Amino acid sequence: MRAFPVRMPSGVRYWTVLDEDMVVVAEVDAFLRHVRFGRDGSELTTRAYAGGICLFLRWCRRTGRSWQDGVEYLGLFIVWLRHAPAEVSGLEPVAGVGEVLAGPGRPPVRGARRINAVLTAVRAFVSYAITAGNAPQGLLPLLYELADERDLPVQARGEGSRMGWRMRARHRLSEPEARVDRATDEEIVALLGGCRSARDRLIVLLMGRAGLRRGELCGLRRQDVHLLLDSRPLGCDVARAHLHVVRRDNPNGAWAKSRRQRVVPLDFLLVQAFDAYEFERLTIERASDSDFTLVNLFREPIGAPMPPDAVNAIVSAAGRRAGLDRRVTPHQLRHAFGSNLADAGGTLDEIQELLGHASMASSQVYLHPDPGRLREAVERVPSPRGVPAAGR
């Protein structure tokens, strides 16, 4: 079993799953096409789902089970995921190593987060197969149990009744709570110093001070950026400088994750960065025609929209030139924006809207204060020495 990319005649791509004979697995392909075209999911989503489903089908095949029978033994599958290294779970298992590894005698090779992601893909696939009539209804209780909403955040609970009910996954590992791995303000300043062009400085600022994802960044069109105090002549009622994040199919593979458009206000630093980049771009005649905001300026093809992978290369190169002690990623710059919003008193709904999160649960990770702010909170509490003693 292997994941494989498919390009449609329209140019739109999604990922599917091939069996050992390089034949498309029909049930999985139907599910992945549904995710891509029926639910308007991204190519990356189908890629992640295809990879997780591949592992499940591979385990079923190597343990002599159909995938329908394998649903009943997801506990064993979890053990296999945790302890089966590449020579066991890969495309070509090494002879004599064994295919089912159980017990604590071997160190884990996958963490709880990765295993939970695989289980999410398997549950989605099986649920779709049941709905499509390709699997028996009796598999659904093996995946989910009926649960009430008391363990959900208040914002996520239903309305209109004292108690709401939902389907809770039966198989899920506990993930250790980790602090958001953000880029520090000092690292962002160093990255800006390590950039060699106005375009690259704009890229760093759009992630670090506007929270854009790579796909959103590279999918920006010039018509999405409004830098005037009054944009009504452009047909936009949003006041002051801002940009619109719009989901489109782009030739460079850029993709806005959220289906819903959002508006991100821009501060004076970003307005200045846009101005500097525009002057830089005007000096390169071949870059003038493209409607994309970020284009190739210094390597062929000049004027072509930048692919998302180029953003990683730019940030990594700037970090090396700046002499940073660690490698800073684009997503850490986005985390810096979310953390700074929370530290500045931003509310949960503000963070959710500005970052384009579909769920408030994704925004809650930024609300955990860092140890420095916790100490400052304690030190603001008045000392009892300053309180007059009560009379006896």
Side-chain angles (χ1 to χ4, degrees):
M1 300 290 174
R2 68 181 68 201
F4 196 81
V6 178
R7 181 183 292 273
M8 304 295 285
S10 63
V12 178
R13 290 162 49 103
Y14 77 100
W15 286 68
T16 190
V17 172
L18 307 180
D19 63 16
E20 289 81 354
D21 299 321
M22 300 298 288
V23 176
V24 172
V25 181
E27 301 101 318
V28 181
D29 185 68
F31 164 66
L32 294 171
R33 282 189 284 111
H34 169 70
V35 171
R36 184 69 172 94
F37 306 110
R39 288 167 42 187
D40 196 26
S42 70
E43 177 191 343
L44 292 178
T45 299
T46 63
R47 180 180 180 179
Y49 277 6
I53 295 169
C54 266
L55 285 169
F56 176 63
L57 297 183
R58 206 174 289 159
W59 172 77
C60 291
R61 177 65 62 88
R62 295 174 186 175
T63 55
R65 298 181 175 95
S66 68
W67 66 260
Q68 291 89 344
D69 292 336
V71 175
E72 187 176 353
Y73 299 95
L74 284 182
L76 294 178
F77 176 55
I78 291 174
V79 174
W80 186 80
L81 279 178
R82 182 180 287 276
H83 296 285
E87 57 265 25
V88 173
S89 61
L91 286 175
E92 301 293 339
V94 177
V97 174
E99 294 185 352
V100 181
L101 303 175
R106 190 178 189 112
V109 295
R110 294 180 181 89
R113 185 180 298 273
R114 170 60 178 153
I115 293 174
N116 285 335
V118 172
L119 293 174
T120 297
V122 172
R123 283 193 295 266
F125 160 59
V126 175
S127 299
Y128 177 81
I130 293 171
T131 304
N134 296 324
Q137 293 283 340
L139 294 182
L140 196 61
L142 301 178
L143 297 175
Y144 298 99
E145 61 183 2
L146 197 62
D148 61 56
E149 293 185 341
R150 284 176 293 183
D151 62 333
L152 292 178
V154 174
Q155 299 91 336
R157 296 179 187 173
E159 298 180 357
S161 64
R162 291 187 177 182
M163 182 71 71
W165 299 92
R166 64 189 177 92
M167 302 295 285
R168 183 171 63 188
R170 287 187 177 275
H171 302 87
R172 183 172 180 83
L173 300 185
S174 176
E175 298 180 18
E177 186 174 349
R179 293 180 56 193
V180 173
D181 187 12
R182 57 159 293 176
T184 66
D185 293 341
E186 293 77 14
E187 287 173 332
I188 295 176
V189 172
L191 284 175
L192 291 171
C195 291
R196 289 183 172 177
S197 68
R199 182 202 61 186
D200 295 356
R201 286 189 288 273
L202 174 62
I203 288 173
V204 172
L205 286 172
L206 281 172
M207 292 184 291
R209 292 191 67 84
L212 266 61
R213 301 178 177 94
R214 289 186 322 158
E216 297 167 346
L217 187 70
C218 295
L220 272 181
R221 306 295 178 95
R222 301 175 94 171
Q223 67 196 46
D224 300 332
V225 181
H226 299 165
L227 303 180
L228 302 175
L229 291 176
D230 185 356
S231 297
R232 283 178 294 183
L234 303 175
C236 176
D237 293 331
V238 180
R240 303 177 63 182
H242 63 278
L243 59 81
H244 296 261
V245 177
V246 183
R247 190 174 190 176
R248 303 182 179 94
D249 284 319
N250 296 305
N252 59 346
W255 185 265
K257 186 175 182 180
S258 176
R259 298 181 180 90
R260 187 171 59 87
Q261 297 185 23
R262 75 179 190 273
V263 174
V264 180
L266 304 176
D267 62 10
F268 73 98
L269 286 177
L270 274 165
V271 172
Q272 290 178 341
F274 268 109
D275 288 342
Y277 168 56
E278 189 60 31
F279 283 117
E280 180 179 75
R281 180 170 171 169
L282 286 172
T283 63
I284 302 175
E285 184 177 354
R286 293 168 58 191
S288 61
D289 293 336
S290 177
D291 182 46
F292 280 84
T293 299
L294 298 172
V295 297
N296 293 339
L297 298 181
F298 313 110
R299 63 178 59 184
E300 297 293 344
I302 301 297
M306 290 180 55
D309 288 344
V311 175
N312 293 66
I314 288 170
V315 173
S316 295
R320 289 193 299 270
R321 287 192 290 267
L324 293 180
D325 295 332
R326 65 166 183 159
R327 179 176 176 268
V328 175
T329 66
H331 214 67
Q332 288 171 327
L333 294 173
R334 174 175 160 84
H335 283 328
F337 176 68
S339 299
N340 284 335
L341 282 176
D343 290 343
T347 60
L348 190 60
D349 59 331
E350 291 170 347
I351 297 172
Q352 179 188 16
E353 179 66 24
L354 288 170
L355 289 175
H357 287 151
S359 168
M360 282 190 176
S362 300
S363 307
Q364 285 179 322
V365 296
Y366 299 108
L367 298 184
H368 298 292
D370 59 44
R373 287 205 297 131
L374 291 177
R375 176 162 293 279
E376 291 174 3
V378 171
E379 291 176 348
R380 287 196 298 269
V381 177
S383 170
R385 295 180 179 179
V387 179
R392 295 183 179 180

